[in-house]
Amino acid sequence: MQSRFRSDRRLTVRMGITLFLLGLLYVAFVAALIVLLKSWVLVVVVAAAALAAQYWFSDRIALYAMHGRVVEREEYPELHAVVDRLCAIADMPKPVVAVSNMDMPNAFATGRNPDNAVVCVTTGLLRRLETSELEGVLAHELSHVAHKDVAVITVASFLGVIAGLVVRFAFYSELFGGRGRKDQNTLAVFAMVMGVSAAVYAISFLLIRALSRYRELAADRAAALLTGRPSALASALTKVTGDIARIPSEDLRTAQAFNAFYFTPALGSDPGVARLFSTHPSLEQRLEQLGRISAELGEAAAPGKAG
């Protein structure tokens, strides 16, 4: 089913290239592990199980990790009303609506397709935003679902998960037991497995970051055009980013693992090097794009870009 969110050919091309490159990396990774561990059954079973779990249960995993829960219309009527309105405008299935009891203002979407999607907002976001701003944020998240880039990011991040699992497995598996001369052999295998896993993680990390930054700009653009109010989205961005920056970094550590899925990354007051490898473009880039769209639509300039 095609939604009314404006299609983005450049996003589609980038997703295709990223998945192709990660697919090649995945094949090479599995082949290397089979050679090193001499057990193709073990490698294939673990890799397949992890991929299936991440793809089919990504929504439940994300909700559990972020303390989110599904909420009905009776409990959050205004939130459901905004989602209903946007889904009607976009002509797309309504996702499951969830709320996370966190003060950090944020939102995310997850799920393998539009028919099995979840949109979650934090109580901190609901407290801080006006209705028009909330509408902009939810339109942004729904565009991720409509463009299917949520599923792509979920699959793309799979390699990093597998690389991490392999490292943990290497520490605990009996494959690395033994004494005497065998210790030297197993240590060599261990070092090679660690090296391959680290390389795979680094490459997949960079590929995912490049795609993630573009998909956030694409979602901002699609949301602004769908609602016709880019200034409201810009206002929400400014509020949320500013409030998150005031939250101590130690309080954001759990949330940072899900930065690729968030409306705005959970970076503390001093992001430092983390900003260079951020899953999102800078606030300035996002506001600049929304300012251009606002001018094109004849709307008042977005906050922070008035001149």
Side-chain angles (χ1 to χ4, degrees):
M1 179 177 176
Q2 184 68 38
S3 76
R4 292 198 181 103
F5 276 106
R6 183 171 295 186
S7 62
D8 193 315
R9 187 178 299 276
R10 286 179 295 178
L11 175 62
T12 302
V13 170
R14 280 171 169 79
M15 289 192 297
I17 292 174
T18 300
L19 285 178
F20 175 74
L21 293 176
L22 285 171
L24 291 179
L25 185 63
Y26 171 69
V27 171
F29 183 43
V30 170
L33 290 180
I34 290 173
V35 170
L36 291 171
L37 300 179
K38 297 180 173 60
S39 177
W40 69 269
V41 174
L42 175 65
V43 172
V44 170
V45 168
V46 171
L51 176 59
Q54 189 162 357
Y55 183 73
W56 289 98
F57 303 111
S58 60
D59 51 347
R60 300 179 195 178
I61 293 171
L63 280 180
Y64 176 79
M66 296 313 300
H67 311 292
R69 63 183 181 86
V70 176
V71 296
E72 301 300 331
R73 185 184 305 277
E74 294 74 20
E75 191 173 0
Y76 284 88
E78 293 182 8
L79 175 60
H80 272 271
V82 173
V83 175
D84 285 337
R85 184 164 60 251
L86 289 171
C87 289
I89 296 172
D91 191 22
M92 65 183 291
K94 182 181 179 181
V96 172
V97 178
V99 170
S100 171
N101 188 24
M102 296 176 63
D103 186 56
M104 178 190 70
N106 228 317
F108 66 89
T110 184
R112 60 187 182 274
N113 56 47
D115 292 317
N116 296 276
V118 177
V119 171
C120 181
V121 298
T122 66
T123 52
L125 186 82
L126 294 175
R127 282 198 302 270
R128 289 171 171 88
L129 298 189
E130 303 294 333
T131 301
S132 61
E133 295 167 337
L134 177 63
E135 186 176 74
V137 172
L138 289 172
H140 171 104
E141 296 304 328
L142 288 173
S143 77
H144 283 316
V145 175
H147 289 151
K148 299 181 175 63
D149 56 271
V150 168
V152 171
I153 283 292
T154 298
V155 173
S157 61
F158 155 74
L159 262 182
V161 172
I162 284 293
L165 287 175
V166 168
V167 171
R168 290 186 179 91
F169 179 77
F171 278 113
Y172 299 112
S173 173
E174 291 182 1
L175 290 173
F176 297 100
R179 297 184 178 280
R181 184 176 176 182
K182 187 179 178 181
D183 281 348
Q184 296 181 351
N185 294 332
T186 55
L187 283 175
V189 173
F190 174 80
M192 287 187 285
V193 168
M194 292 284 284
V196 170
S197 299
V200 166
Y201 180 82
I203 295 172
S204 61
F205 178 92
L206 294 175
L207 287 172
I208 291 169
R209 291 308 184 274
L211 173 61
S212 183
R213 285 191 290 270
Y214 183 84
R215 87 183 187 108
E216 293 303 329
L217 288 173
D220 284 347
R221 184 164 54 248
L225 293 173
L226 183 77
T227 63
R229 300 188 66 180
S231 62
L233 179 58
S235 177
L237 268 170
T238 303
K239 280 186 182 180
V240 171
T241 303
D243 284 349
I244 288 179
R246 287 191 283 271
I247 298 175
S249 296
E250 54 268 24
D251 295 338
L252 298 174
R253 283 176 186 161
T254 301
Q256 286 171 352
F258 291 88
N259 270 349
F261 295 92
Y262 281 137
F263 170 65
T264 300
L267 299 176
S269 57
D270 184 21
V273 179
R275 189 173 292 281
L276 298 176
F277 300 103
S278 178
T279 52
H280 292 57
S282 67
L283 174 63
E284 292 72 24
Q285 285 178 282
R286 298 176 76 174
L287 291 180
E288 182 179 0
Q289 175 182 248
L290 290 171
R292 290 196 302 269
I293 297 173
S294 183
E296 292 170 5
L297 296 177
E299 188 194 42
K305 290 295 174 183

